[in-house]
Every structure is written in C-alpha cells, then in structure tokens.
Amino acid sequence: MSTIFTRIINGEIPGRIVWRDDTCVAMVDIRPLNRGHVLVIPIVEVDRWTDLPSETAAHCTTVAHTIGRAQMVAFSPTRIGLMIAGFEVPHTHLHVVPIDHMGHLDFTKANPNAAPSDLDAVADALREALRADGQGPVV
C-alpha cells in the first residue's frame, strides 16, 4: 500500500506542492511546527533515509537548501531548521522549518488545526519567493 506522500505525489489526494522535479517534491506540512514548515520528499518510496541512494539524498538536501532560502525571504525567521525524523510516515522526508528558537522543532507542539487558507497563503508565498530566486521546478 502506498504512503500518504506517494498518494499526494501521484495526485490521488490534494497537497500544497511548491516544488516538483524528477527526484522529489516539496510540500507545505499540514501539521506545521511553525508557519512555513515544508516537507521535502523523494518520489521513490523509501522508509529510512539511510536507505536512499546517496544521489537522491544529496538532491533532497539541495532542494531543502533552496526551500530554506525561500523561507528566509517569505517569513524572515531567525534560522531555518532541517530535520529528518522519519517516524510519522514510513516514507523519507526532510522537515524544513522556519525557526526563531529550538521550541519550533518540537513535534509535540505541531499545529493539527492549521487554517487551510493560511496553508494556501504559505504555499503561495513560497512559490513567489522561489520564482523570484529564478527557480524552475516550482509548481
């Protein structure tokens, strides 16, 4: 059975995808740790990131870097946090999170009730920042 991420990647269920290329997608997290939280997800469905081909892992990290630069422009946080935890969904994903303090990386404080309209606004702001940076695979 496909993971929820694969179902979103395949267009079976909706997602707020801001980046898509042949290797990965980046989408707004519906349970954000902080406003602007994005997941970078390889298209290939692999549970543990250490089992990814190294080229795929490196590419996802490069995309996370690009997303992080866009988050800095769009949301002006103090820093961008990057984390791979891997317990929520058995499909590798990198959490790219605008942060002002370490508490913004606490999964127990994720927002399960983020307003859909705000998640849409976050996606739009990130797409705008990515395009302004000259990025091509913006959805």
Side-chain angles (χ1 to χ4, degrees):
M1 182 173 186
S2 297
T3 68
I4 191 165
F5 292 156
T6 296
R7 294 179 64 212
I8 294 169
I9 290 166
N10 291 341
E12 296 169 22
I13 56 177
R16 291 170 181 86
I17 296 175
V18 299
W19 176 285
R20 179 187 292 268
D21 62 30
D22 292 338
T23 304
C24 70
V25 300
M27 69 177 78
V28 175
D29 195 318
I30 63 169
R31 291 179 36 92
L33 297 178
N34 197 27
R35 188 166 193 266
H37 182 174
V38 169
L39 303 175
V40 176
I41 307 161
I43 291 170
V44 61
E45 191 174 297
V46 174
D47 184 8
R48 293 179 176 91
W49 77 271
T50 51
D51 293 334
L52 282 174
S54 59
E55 300 81 16
T56 302
H59 180 77
C60 288
T61 302
T62 299
V63 170
H65 184 262
T66 301
I67 296 294
R69 286 195 325 261
Q71 289 168 321
M72 289 296 290
V73 169
F75 307 111
S76 301
T78 304
R79 297 193 185 280
I80 301 297
L82 177 63
M83 182 172 29
I84 304 172
F87 288 102
E88 308 88 12
V89 177
H91 188 152
T92 300
H93 52 289
L94 289 70
H95 295 266
V96 189
V97 186
I99 60 174
D100 294 313
H101 52 78
M102 289 299 293
H104 284 150
L105 295 176
D106 183 348
F107 283 99
T108 65
K109 296 180 181 173
N111 180 1
N113 301 309
S117 60
D118 189 53
L119 296 174
D120 291 340
V122 164
D124 289 342
L126 287 169
R127 289 183 192 110
E128 182 179 322
L130 287 163
R131 286 188 187 109
D133 191 34
Q135 299 302 321
V138 179
V139 177

